[in-house]
Amino acid sequence: MNRLFGSAPKAPKPTLNSAISNLDSRISSFDVKIASLNAELGTYQNKMAKMREGPGKSALKAKALKVLQRRKQYESQRDQLQSQVWNMEQAQTMQDNLAGVMTTVDAMKTTQKELKKQYGKVDLDKIERMQDEMADLMDVGNEINETLSRGYEVPDDVDEAELDAELELLGAEMEMEGVGMDAGGVPDFMKDEVPDFIDEPPETNAKVQEAAR
């Protein structure tokens, strides 16, 4: 029959995620059953609390014990499933970590190839020559700046004591000139002296005062 009609399509292989989902659904069904048994046990306990000792209470107690036994079985099966889920989740985590590591390794390999390709285009000797030329240009620029900033009038070896003595001498000369000036602020050496380019002699203070009146 397989030769005539072909083989049946293969089912997809189960994965950890699908197996975990399947177990989770089974665990949920056990939780529902355990909750139902707990409710039934609660009902039996309430009834037994109101009953006196006797055959009726003993029969109700036997039922409660059977329900309790079933609950323990469900709980044991649920715990086993939860352990399986835990183990598969750990395996899934390891698988995800391995996939992340492989992705990182592939990215590093690609980056390494690109770096080799780019660095292969770099001429180290050319870069060193360029650095040397830049250093020489910086030295030339520093020399130019030092030359332009050099002073012309004041020598570097000027004695400060000589400058102080000269400053005091200038002050003394200015005081002497101040003594030689009259009230109008005209020095003595300029009195009675008329420049060649002035035709008329300067007017006296008396004439100036009369004109002002």
Side-chain angles (χ1 to χ4, degrees):
M1 295 293 292
N2 290 335
R3 292 179 179 178
L4 294 175
F5 300 102
S7 59
K10 295 181 179 179
K13 294 181 180 180
T15 61
L16 285 175
N17 288 328
S18 61
I20 291 172
S21 299
N22 185 20
L23 290 179
D24 285 337
S25 61
R26 293 177 62 186
I27 290 172
S28 299
S29 65
F30 279 117
D31 288 336
V32 172
K33 293 178 181 179
I34 291 171
S36 177
L37 294 177
N38 286 332
E40 188 176 354
L41 281 174
T43 302
Y44 290 152
Q45 287 177 350
N46 291 331
K47 290 182 179 180
M48 287 188 296
K50 299 176 182 179
M51 295 175 64
R52 297 179 179 180
E53 296 293 336
K57 187 175 182 179
S58 298
L60 195 61
K61 185 178 180 180
K63 291 181 180 180
L65 290 174
K66 290 181 179 180
V67 172
L68 183 61
Q69 184 177 5
R70 289 173 57 193
R71 190 188 72 177
K72 287 185 175 296
Q73 291 177 352
Y74 287 152
E75 288 176 347
S76 177
Q77 293 177 2
R78 183 192 61 184
D79 292 342
Q80 290 178 359
L81 293 178
Q82 288 177 343
S83 297
Q84 295 178 16
V85 169
W86 169 254
N87 292 333
M88 285 190 291
E89 286 177 347
Q90 293 300 311
Q92 181 66 41
T93 301
M94 293 177 62
Q95 184 177 359
D96 294 338
N97 291 337
L98 181 59
V101 170
M102 295 304 297
T103 301
T104 303
V105 171
D106 292 339
M108 292 177 66
K109 289 181 179 179
T110 303
T111 303
Q112 183 181 12
K113 291 180 181 179
E114 291 296 326
L115 289 175
K116 287 183 178 180
K117 185 186 299 182
Q118 295 297 328
Y119 283 138
K121 300 177 182 179
V122 177
D123 189 353
L124 294 179
D125 295 335
K126 186 176 181 181
I127 293 176
E128 290 179 358
R129 289 194 300 271
M130 182 178 65
Q131 288 291 96
D132 294 338
E133 292 176 359
M134 289 295 296
D136 294 338
L137 291 175
M138 291 296 294
D139 293 337
V140 172
N142 291 331
E143 292 179 359
I144 292 173
N145 290 330
E146 290 178 0
T147 302
L148 293 176
S149 61
R150 187 181 303 165
Y152 296 101
E153 296 179 357
V154 181
D156 295 336
D157 55 351
V158 175
D159 189 0
E160 293 185 359
E162 294 180 0
L163 292 177
D164 293 336
E166 186 176 352
L167 184 61
E168 291 179 1
L169 182 59
L170 289 175
E173 291 178 356
M174 292 178 65
E175 290 179 359
M176 293 295 294
E177 291 177 358
V179 171
M181 291 183 180
D182 60 2
V186 180
D188 293 337
F189 67 87
M190 293 184 63
K191 293 181 178 181
D192 300 332
E193 291 185 3
V194 180
D196 296 336
F197 57 85
I198 297 177
D199 297 334
E200 297 180 358
E203 296 181 354
T204 61
N205 292 334
K207 293 182 178 181
V208 174
Q209 292 178 358
E210 290 178 359
R213 291 176 183 176

